[in-house]
Amino acid sequence: MNRLAAYVFWEKDGIVREYVVRYIKGLTEVASKVYVVANGEIQPEGKRRLEEECGAVVLQRPNVGVDFWAYKTALDQEGDAISDYDEIILCNCSCYGPVYPFSEMFDEMAGRQVDFWGITEWPTDADGFKGTWILSYFFVFRPHLFLSPEWAWYWKNLSEVHSREECIEKHETQFTAYFADKGFTYDVYCPNLPGYLDMTIEAPDELVVEQRCPLIKRKAFCTDYDRFLSYHRGTASRRVFDYIRDHHLYDTDIIVDDMLATQHGAYLKDCLQLDYVLSTRHGEPLARQPRVAALCYLTQEELLDESFRYLLSMPAYADLYIVTDSDELAGVIREKAVSYRFASCRVSVMTPVGGAVEALLLTARESLTDYDYVCAIHDGQLPDPPVGHISEEIRRFSTEALLASSVYAANILAVFENNPRLGVLIPMNALHSTYRARYGQEWGLNYDGTVKLLERAGVSVPISPAVPPLSPMEAMFWFRPACLDRLLKLELSDADFKAGNPDGSLYHNILRAIPFFAQDAGFLTGQVISVEGAENHIINLAYLLGKANAALLSGSNRVYVPMEVNIGLKRSLKEYLKKHLPARAVSVLRRMYHWLPGR
């Protein structure tokens, strides 16, 4: 069958990532001619790959009009020659795939006697729009429609749009109904299941696993997590990711590469469920013996035995690097290392202004870059620590999350070995005392300083004050040294740190920056906790959530609001304005919002 395809490409820097090349190659298996319409910039190397490797015709245009005006550009380029085709495909770069050959879907849809079709739909009377519509990331049209006067009139009189939201309101939501009202028939390959608005985001696992949908929307891996919790437990993205990986349907490294380059790491961590609850008693042997080291900043003699007992959880072949602040304590540490039978323990003396963080950087710069994995811990000398047992609890909570037992440490190594894209594992944030206030306040006074640090290091990944950093708040974590390469090259010194390391200082900026350094190096960040720690953590979370709900929903003027519609004041206002103002006005307000400082 002779098909024409038009694929819309946009990327803020014009980089043609591997997922785009993979998609176009899949498209050429069902289309005789493929236009790639670049809205805005396209890098020369990417353009070359699309033309030479994929055989596509690349058209470049200004980044105006979003998808529909790009579609029009390809149709205008082809002109009257569209009469030579049996079908026309209009699609865009918002998806990964194909995870199944496009031919499978086209063979199925060939038996349906309709004038146009798509993959998925928006359900009836959803979000204030009347009727269903085909989601515009993939359309297929047949001659009865695309050679009709109604088709020619639509594209000749295509109304201007100035934002994605305006394009959705003026075109995507109206396009299907416009042609259906003219008597043209349509269908979708994957029917919408009751209870969902957009299954491509809310139930990508159902689409791929149960309905053999050939595409996965990129938004399935980078949408605010609240969108998923409105419909299910948040497992859909992880399930579809694991399914296509385990069944060798698609190279998931392509997804990770794109997400790390273009999206917030915190979103990806939530969507892929990168929280690991590991056993302290049961595990499987490692297939190989990785190079492992522990870096410890120990300054309290009374805690040495406790620290060494935790270090006994490290593999017997691991090397120890211990930094302390006096020659006298260094001698005691060496004696302790012998008594605990550590074969390799190197002790150095320094008094870094930046405490455990600076000790980590200095030691990593000199000794740790050749290891596969490193565990960084200290004995609780934190800036402005809480008093007494509260400080002891946070130290033990964090250390046990990293070195609860020898089996547990081996399980952490297995997690790294089985997930080569995982770069950092941090303890979950504690919930006792004032530490619970960190949830939702992870940035503290450190956002601006972290941004400046990353800029100084040449790190360019998405970062926002509205998205929390996946940071090792207690300066204890497991990591691959490759994640810190750019940080180490900064060669920070005592002069860069402030005495006492108050909130907002370089000490805290570095901790917040660690997941962004990892992301820039091509690695993910996850959280880890032991089974026993998780049992306590779940009880604490449930208790605190119950108290929060009781406070929010109590009182004579309070009413219960279901979770699926309790979307918050800011989002409620946005939805109200979108429904009650013209699309052009909404577009102007949106641009003003993004220009305003402190939004």
Side-chain angles (χ1 to χ4, degrees):
M1 185 173 286
N2 190 23
R3 297 187 181 97
L4 171 70
Y7 175 96
V8 181
F9 166 79
W10 176 86
E11 204 274 341
K12 67 182 183 67
D13 297 316
I15 299 172
V16 177
R17 304 193 190 279
E18 187 63 32
Y19 83 92
V20 175
V21 175
R22 185 68 60 94
Y23 190 118
I24 299 301
K25 286 182 177 179
L27 205 55
T28 58
E29 295 178 4
V30 293
S32 309
K33 185 175 184 179
V34 176
Y35 284 112
V36 174
V37 185
N39 275 346
E41 186 179 1
I42 183 170
Q43 295 292 338
E45 174 59 20
K47 183 174 183 289
R48 183 199 65 77
R49 291 193 67 191
L50 293 174
E51 291 174 336
E52 296 181 10
E53 293 183 27
C54 305
V57 178
V58 178
L59 305 176
Q60 192 169 359
R61 61 185 299 275
N63 185 23
V64 293
V66 201
D67 287 0
F68 275 77
W69 278 84
Y71 291 151
K72 174 177 167 57
T73 297
L75 294 172
D76 289 347
Q77 181 73 19
E78 196 66 12
D80 293 338
I82 63 170
S83 61
D84 295 335
Y85 296 99
D86 301 302
E87 288 183 331
I88 292 176
I89 304 166
L90 303 181
C91 54
N92 65 31
C93 62
S94 65
C95 299
Y96 300 118
V99 297
Y100 304 112
F102 280 129
S103 57
E104 179 180 314
M105 175 175 67
F106 277 88
D107 288 346
E108 165 65 25
M109 297 306 292
R112 303 191 193 182
Q113 301 303 309
V114 293
D115 298 311
F116 66 109
W117 57 271
I119 299 181
T120 54
E121 63 186 336
W122 194 279
T124 304
D125 298 326
D127 202 29
F129 296 104
K130 183 179 179 181
T132 65
W133 69 84
I134 296 172
L135 296 181
S136 63
Y137 67 90
F138 201 97
F139 285 121
V140 179
F141 304 94
R142 291 171 178 160
H144 183 233
L145 174 54
F146 68 74
L147 296 180
S148 69
E150 291 84 356
W151 172 271
W153 188 94
Y154 186 92
W155 295 105
K156 182 178 180 180
N157 295 279
L158 191 67
S159 58
E160 294 184 0
V161 295
H162 301 87
S163 69
R164 175 179 174 274
E165 288 77 12
E166 193 177 4
C167 187
I168 291 172
E169 183 169 342
K170 284 188 175 181
H171 295 304
E172 181 175 31
T173 62
Q174 308 299 323
F175 189 81
T176 304
Y178 171 80
F179 288 107
D181 290 345
K182 302 294 184 183
F184 296 101
T185 57
Y186 70 95
D187 201 353
V188 291
Y189 181 60
C190 298
N192 198 74
L193 296 180
Y196 291 108
L197 290 179
D198 184 352
M199 289 182 66
T200 64
I201 298 174
E202 297 143 11
D205 56 335
E206 292 286 341
L207 289 174
V208 171
V209 179
E210 309 300 334
Q211 300 193 41
R212 295 186 67 82
C213 180
L215 297 176
I216 304 172
K217 288 284 275 187
R218 296 170 70 221
K219 281 190 175 182
F221 303 107
C222 59
T223 297
D224 191 308
Y225 198 64
D226 185 59
R227 177 72 177 270
F228 302 108
L229 287 183
S230 297
Y231 293 91
H232 48 69
R233 293 181 295 122
T235 59
S237 299
R238 170 67 182 270
R239 184 189 179 210
V240 73
F241 185 90
D242 289 350
Y243 184 84
I244 62 174
R245 179 197 63 207
D246 296 343
H247 289 78
H248 307 291
L249 300 176
Y250 193 81
D251 183 356
T252 51
D253 273 345
I254 294 175
I255 296 175
V256 174
D257 286 339
D258 175 52
M259 288 288 110
L260 289 175
T262 63
Q263 306 298 329
H264 292 293
Y267 285 174
L268 189 55
K269 175 260 181 188
D270 287 341
C271 291
L272 295 184
Q273 312 268 283
L274 300 178
D275 285 346
Y276 298 93
V277 180
L278 305 179
S279 174
T280 60
R281 302 176 184 178
H282 307 287
E284 298 293 330
L286 294 169
R288 72 175 185 118
Q289 181 174 298
R291 298 164 297 171
V292 181
L295 169 62
C296 320
Y297 183 58
L298 306 180
T299 59
Q300 302 184 69
E301 184 173 354
E302 67 274 18
L303 295 178
L304 287 181
D305 285 309
E306 178 182 301
S307 297
F308 273 101
R309 283 194 294 270
Y310 280 121
L311 288 171
L312 287 173
S313 298
M314 292 291 293
Y317 57 84
D319 295 329
L320 300 189
Y321 294 83
I322 299 178
V323 178
T324 191
D325 58 0
S326 73
D327 291 326
E328 181 181 356
L329 190 53
V332 176
I333 290 172
R334 292 186 181 96
E335 292 176 1
K336 289 285 186 185
V338 172
S339 66
Y340 280 94
R341 298 182 179 179
F342 284 102
S344 175
C345 180
R346 304 171 209 183
V347 183
S348 57
V349 178
M350 64 180 73
T351 54
V353 175
V357 169
E358 189 179 351
L360 165 66
L361 297 182
L362 292 174
T363 308
R365 188 185 305 159
E366 296 174 358
S367 308
L368 301 181
T369 54
D370 290 333
Y371 289 92
D372 294 311
Y373 314 113
V374 176
C375 179
I377 65 168
H378 56 82
D379 58 7
Q381 286 285 55
L382 304 174
D384 303 318
V387 297
H389 63 279
I390 296 175
S391 181
E392 294 174 4
E393 277 289 292
I394 189 64
R395 181 183 73 248
R396 289 172 181 155
F397 175 84
S398 298
T399 311
E400 287 175 2
L402 304 176
L403 294 172
S405 72
S406 58
V407 172
Y408 181 81
N411 285 336
I412 285 183
L413 294 176
V415 168
F416 277 111
E417 290 282 279
N418 294 329
N419 296 272
R421 300 309 297 270
L422 183 67
V424 180
L425 272 180
I426 67 173
M428 291 188 182
N429 284 330
L431 290 166
H432 69 286
S433 186
T434 56
Y435 292 105
R436 74 187 69 168
R438 281 181 176 164
Y439 284 84
Q441 305 293 325
E442 290 88 350
W443 278 114
L445 302 176
N446 300 284
Y447 179 75
D448 290 340
T450 303
V451 170
K452 290 178 182 177
L453 177 66
L454 295 172
E455 289 175 348
R456 177 179 169 184
V459 171
S460 179
V461 294
I463 185 171
S464 167
V467 181
L470 297 168
S471 303
M473 297 296 194
E474 309 308 326
M476 302 192 202
F477 56 109
W478 278 93
F479 66 99
R480 298 179 195 263
C483 293
L484 302 186
D485 183 61
R486 284 183 180 267
L487 178 59
L488 297 177
K489 288 178 179 177
L490 289 177
E491 296 188 353
L492 301 169
S493 66
D494 265 0
D496 296 296
F497 291 87
K498 291 183 179 179
N501 299 308
D503 196 26
S505 67
L506 181 61
Y507 179 102
H508 294 282
N509 296 164
I510 289 174
L511 293 180
R512 268 68 174 188
I514 282 172
F516 299 100
F517 280 107
Q519 184 172 346
D520 182 71
F523 294 101
L524 299 160
T525 297
Q527 292 182 312
V528 67
I529 194 170
S530 69
V531 169
E532 293 82 359
E535 290 170 351
N536 170 255
H537 207 63
I538 290 169
I539 290 172
N540 295 345
L541 280 172
Y543 173 78
L544 293 173
L545 179 60
K547 290 196 70 174
N549 279 345
L552 288 170
L553 302 176
S554 63
S556 58
N557 295 324
R558 301 286 185 180
V559 295
Y560 171 73
V561 181
M563 180 67 74
E564 60 267 27
V565 296
N566 185 15
I567 60 177
L569 179 61
K570 185 167 75 171
R571 185 172 163 194
S572 297
L573 179 60
K574 287 172 64 178
E575 293 300 320
Y576 179 86
L577 293 174
K578 284 167 63 177
K579 290 182 181 181
H580 292 81
L581 292 178
R584 184 68 179 271
V586 172
S587 179
V588 172
L589 288 173
R590 182 170 177 265
R591 285 191 290 245
M592 290 175 62
Y593 171 79
H594 285 283
W595 288 336
L596 290 172
R599 62 183 182 275

